[in-house]
Amino acid sequence: MLVFAIETSCDETSVCIMDKNKTIHNHTIFSQEVHQKFGGVIPEIASRAHLEILQKISKEAFLKSNVKIEEISLFAATCGPGLIGPLLIGSTFAKSLAIGCSKPFVPINHIESHVLSPTYNNTISYPHLSLLISGGHTEIYLVDFKKNISLLGESVDDALGETFDKVAKILNLKYPGGPEIEQFAEIGNELEYNLPTPMLKDQSLNMSFSGLKTAINLLVKKNKINNKFISDISASFQLCVSKILISKLLKTITKLKEMSINISSISVVGGVVNNKYIRKKIIGFGKEKSVEIFFPIKEMMSDNAAMIAWAGILKTSKEEDIFFKPNPRLRIK
Ligand code: KG4
Ligand code: ZN
């Protein structure tokens, strides 16, 4: 069984051909650099960029992998959440191919595909927690014995990746800000600035990150902006957000224990997982609490079609639906 999958929920145009035994025949990720000069994604520009490149990379995927389109048995595409224009482009393209080839189409929830991504390369016991840290979402999910995914806690304002991007913009760094801040932080002193950790003492499992950019904005106004300042702020910022994530994970495990749900595994997914410092901090927390920590493979961390293909493979035929309408606010049922 071969799947052809498309991801176009935001600013990555990605296609993947994967077979049921997990072999990836082609995986192409085209990151739209056109947004860099705006310091954030412009939806209309993203739509146009998807239109320009999607057909080309799809054609090349078949040519490079030597797979014929007639050999594809299932077409899959992200149908939400995300930007409506980009979602419509990717899903309509995949549906058209499915109709043309008389094969089924399966709609994929982008968040669900992030949550499922580490099951491609790991055997994770149930129930487990999934911490999603991406540009659009910062959420803690419980994945139970029946593999049902339920939301336990989330950021009440900015997502963590979004916070990285906004802080980078304040510091005059490039977009996306995550990799930039990570690099500066490597040579910074993380104890130089004591940044606020809102909602840390709060009993809920929700988080808040928007106050961080305000605090950093004030520091930028008071200090001389040089490489040392940027490095120290970046390192202090990474320490601060790691504290928030770890404290909320601990609270979640403790709360679940009181309900007789024992968590021995946590998977961490989404673009911010690229951050080695955050990974190390969460691994350290796992060791301390005897909880196994899992991550997806590198190419399934940031937005990609391989996780869409993998989610498609895990779907049943009942979930095929050529009439599924893309939904920018699609939630996990
Ligand atoms: O999962 P993703 O590709 O897209 C969404 O579904 O949102 O995540 C993109 C986010 C961006 O905000 C980007 O700054 C962040 O992931 N990111 C990082 C790093 N690499 C990407 N954040 C921190 N450190 C990184 N190395
Ligand atoms: Zn994503």
Side-chain angles (χ1 to χ4, degrees), residues 110 114 134 303 307:
H110 183 83
H114 270 302
S134 72
D303 285 352
M307 71 180 184

Side-chain angles (χ1 to χ4, degrees), residues 110 114 134-136 161-162 164-165 176-179 182 270-272 274-275 301-303:
H110 183 83
H114 270 302
S134 72
E162 184 184 1
F164 266 93
D165 296 336
E182 177 173 22
V272 182
N274 283 294
N275 190 294
M301 287 179 181
S302 295
D303 285 352

Side-chain angles (χ1 to χ4, degrees), residues 10 43 47 51 57 137 149 209 235 260 280 289 303 314 329:
C10 191
S47 298
L51 267 178
I57 62 173
H137 301 90
I149 302 169
F209 296 102
S260 305
K280 212 169 129 191
K289 301 289 168 200
D303 285 352
L314 299 177
R329 296 186 189 278

Side-chain angles (χ1 to χ4, degrees), residues 36-320:
Q36 274 185 6
K37 57 178 174 285
F38 304 104
V41 179
I42 311 293
E44 177 60 17
I45 295 179
S47 298
R48 287 169 193 232
H50 285 303
L51 267 178
E52 260 168 42
I53 201 82
L54 182 56
Q55 195 162 344
K56 179 171 178 279
I57 62 173
S58 301
K59 236 175 165 176
E60 279 171 6
F62 286 103
L63 283 174
K64 285 183 190 160
S65 62
N66 250 331
V67 171
K68 291 191 187 67
I69 196 161
E70 306 82 63
E71 294 175 80
I72 299 293
S73 37
L74 182 70
F75 290 85
T78 305
C79 283
L83 303 170
I84 189 62
L87 287 172
L88 272 167
I89 290 163
S91 62
T92 308
F93 187 71
K95 284 177 181 177
S96 313
L97 292 179
I99 293 168
C101 297
S102 305
K103 295 286 165 53
F105 168 82
V106 65
I108 303 293
N109 180 311
H110 183 83
I111 292 180
E112 189 181 0
S113 72
H114 270 302
V115 171
L116 293 171
S117 64
T119 65
Y120 172 84
N121 55 320
N122 299 289
T123 307
I124 313 177
S125 62
Y126 296 91
H128 65 255
L129 292 184
S130 178
L131 170 67
L132 168 62
I133 40 178
S134 72
H137 301 90
T138 300
E139 293 163 345
I140 302 174
Y141 287 97
L142 174 67
V143 190
D144 71 13
F145 286 109
K146 288 184 179 161
K147 303 190 184 176
N148 290 322
I149 302 169
S150 35
L151 181 67
L152 301 179
E154 63 188 325
S155 170
V156 294
D157 40 54
D158 294 347
L160 185 53
E162 184 184 1
T163 312
F164 266 93
D165 296 336
K166 286 181 175 171
V167 168
K169 201 170 177 180
I170 295 170
L171 297 173
N172 248 329
L173 304 177
K174 275 193 291 193
Y175 174 86
E180 296 280 306
I181 289 187
E182 177 173 22
Q183 215 180 337
F184 273 99
E186 274 168 23
I187 49 163
N189 173 9
E190 63 183 27
L191 302 176
E192 186 69 32
Y193 298 102
N194 193 10
L195 296 169
T197 47
M199 295 183 81
L200 200 72
K201 301 236 156 61
D202 176 300
Q203 272 317 299
S204 88
L205 305 178
N206 291 335
M207 297 155 259
S208 166
F209 296 102
S210 69
L212 270 165
K213 63 172 194 284
T214 315
I216 292 175
N217 217 345
L218 287 173
L219 286 168
V220 163
K221 285 184 181 138
K222 279 194 214 147
N223 288 273
K224 204 170 145 210
I225 316 300
N226 53 26
N227 276 1
K228 174 162 177 9
F229 174 77
I230 296 177
S231 302
D232 290 346
I233 276 283
S234 299
S236 306
F237 168 74
Q238 288 195 158
L239 173 65
C240 174
V241 299
S242 303
K243 270 192 206 160
I244 297 175
L245 294 177
I246 287 169
S247 140
K248 291 297 172 173
L249 284 175
L250 182 59
K251 239 172 221 158
T252 310
I253 293 176
T254 312
K255 267 204 173 169
L256 289 172
K257 206 171 194 167
E258 287 163 12
M259 296 158 68
S260 305
I261 302 171
N262 287 318
I263 297 295
S264 56
S265 324
I266 300 176
S267 67
V268 194
V269 299
V272 182
V273 183
N274 283 294
N275 190 294
K276 291 190 274 310
Y277 175 91
I278 292 179
R279 283 213 300 270
K280 212 169 129 191
K281 284 282 180 191
I282 296 177
I283 289 170
F285 162 75
K287 282 206 180 112
E288 204 182 294
K289 301 289 168 200
S290 301
V291 174
E292 266 194 290
I293 308 291
F294 296 95
F295 302 105
I297 55 168
K298 184 89 185 143
E299 60 184 300
M300 286 200 196
M301 287 179 181
S302 295
D303 285 352
N304 67 89
M307 71 180 184
I308 306 303
W310 177 235
I313 286 170
L314 299 177
K315 293 274 167 197
T316 61
S317 55
K318 273 195 209 147
E319 292 164 284
E320 292 161 9

